[in-house]
Amino acid sequence: MRIVPSLRSRLIALIMLPLLAACAAPAAQKAPPQEAPPGYGEMVDEGITIPAVKPNQFIGSPPREDVAYNGPEAPGTIVVDAFARKLYLVEQGGMARRYSIAVGRAGLGFRGNATVNRKQKWPSWTPTANMIRTMPEFYAEYAGGLPGGLENPLGSRALYLYRGGRDTYFRIHGTIDNRSIGRATSAGCIRLFNQDIIDLYDRIPLGTTVKSRSREESERLEGKFMEDEWGLLIPYDASRLEEIAAKRAINEKKLEEQIAREAAEAAAEHQAGTLGQ
């Protein structure tokens, strides 16, 4: 039985619903590079081929970069800023390695400090009991778990966060959908491009401290943001709120139509695979 296309279409639909981003890039955004930057091309990892990140997926979610860092955290600390949708690995000499992230509802609930007590390559994934109870149409048939791979929601790597020796159930991980990076999503914790989570995974040891910034800290260090009509962050501007809300409603309708088409295509593929067995 081929269950992967069904799972992928369901999870991408769930991830994408709140993004309110249509297929085309917003004209006001900086033009994307013509090809993926170094480190984001197709790569083979543990025998699995990871697709290249498409150039237009860096709009609003720039590639990883070493930048000057103005926070107080010690070198070696991972700093998650869910409000600016950035993750920093603090380095020596006032620098940090910055990654773009997507933040799910679970990720927004992560506050304070934690420790990376477990690291996993191509991790398996099992929906929580609460996920199964609240959205059985998405998760019930995967209660037994899903092995690691390109269709797994945790992507190529996962960092498991603990506090006081207990699992917090917060994760920093890869993703099955690069379109989500730089945006807020309905599900998941803190996710990065698969190429980025591999880079981060290789740089940090077990025991690494993870700090989650509060909104106050984020606005003081990064500035205040709001979402544009595409679900991407822009500097806060109260005068544009009504305009953006109107454009967002149009984009939401287009996105729902796109999701319906993708789900129908995946369902047809799934049915054809089942009938062919």
Side-chain angles (χ1 to χ4, degrees):
M1 177 179 178
R2 298 178 60 204
I3 64 170
V4 168
S6 176
L7 175 63
R8 184 177 181 83
S9 63
R10 294 178 192 181
L11 290 177
I12 287 180
L14 185 62
I15 288 168
M16 293 296 291
L17 273 173
L19 303 190
L20 309 182
C23 297
Q29 292 287 339
K30 182 180 178 181
Q34 296 302 305
E35 57 183 32
Y40 290 92
E42 180 178 286
M43 62 184 295
V44 178
D45 177 77
E46 303 287 319
I48 299 174
T49 300
I50 300 173
V53 180
K54 296 179 181 178
N56 65 359
Q57 289 166 346
F58 293 104
I59 297 175
S61 51
R64 59 183 180 264
E65 181 181 12
D66 289 323
V67 298
Y69 185 70
N70 58 354
E73 292 78 18
T77 305
I78 292 174
V79 177
V80 175
D81 192 325
F83 305 99
R85 296 176 194 161
K86 299 174 183 176
L87 181 150
Y88 295 94
L89 176 58
V90 184
E91 301 172 335
Q92 299 286 347
M95 300 294 290
R97 197 163 183 84
R98 184 187 64 199
Y99 305 84
S100 294
I101 62 175
V103 183
R105 289 174 183 169
L108 288 172
F110 172 45
R111 293 290 181 270
N113 292 350
T115 302
V116 178
N117 279 19
R118 180 185 167 203
K119 300 167 58 180
Q120 185 68 48
K121 296 181 179 181
W122 294 104
S124 61
W125 171 78
T126 303
T128 66
N130 183 61
M131 293 166 72
I132 295 170
R133 182 175 62 254
T134 56
M135 303 191 75
E137 68 278 16
F138 279 89
Y139 300 119
E141 67 179 289
Y142 307 107
L146 184 70
L150 287 178
E151 307 300 332
N152 189 299
L154 294 181
S156 59
R157 300 288 189 276
L159 308 178
Y160 298 78
L161 307 188
Y162 285 67
R163 185 177 290 147
R166 301 183 63 179
D167 190 353
T168 64
Y169 295 98
F170 291 114
R171 313 285 187 246
I172 299 172
H173 59 88
T175 182
I176 62 173
D177 187 23
N178 289 334
R179 294 174 296 180
S180 67
I181 301 300
R183 297 180 165 95
T185 67
S186 61
C189 292
I190 305 299
R191 67 169 67 91
L192 296 79
F193 292 120
N194 278 319
Q195 288 86 343
D196 278 348
I197 191 62
I198 290 174
D199 184 84
L200 178 62
Y201 180 101
D202 290 341
R203 291 173 181 273
I204 62 112
L206 291 176
T208 294
T209 297
V210 180
K211 158 71 181 297
S212 177
R213 285 178 177 171
S214 66
R215 182 181 292 276
E216 180 183 25
E217 289 173 311
S218 176
E219 292 183 0
R220 175 166 49 84
L221 295 169
E222 304 284 347
K224 187 175 182 179
F225 295 95
M226 67 182 189
E227 290 186 354
D228 67 7
E229 63 268 30
W230 310 93
L232 298 170
L233 293 181
I234 57 174
Y236 185 83
D237 182 354
S239 68
R240 295 196 59 200
L241 291 176
E242 291 187 7
E243 168 204 345
I244 288 172
K247 292 179 178 179
R248 184 177 295 172
I250 296 172
N251 290 345
E252 183 175 23
K253 180 175 177 57
K254 291 180 179 179
L255 181 59
E256 288 175 348
E257 292 171 352
Q258 175 187 337
I259 289 172
R261 286 195 303 271
E262 292 181 359
E265 291 169 0
E269 181 183 351
H270 173 54
Q271 183 177 13
T274 301
L275 294 174
Q277 293 179 358

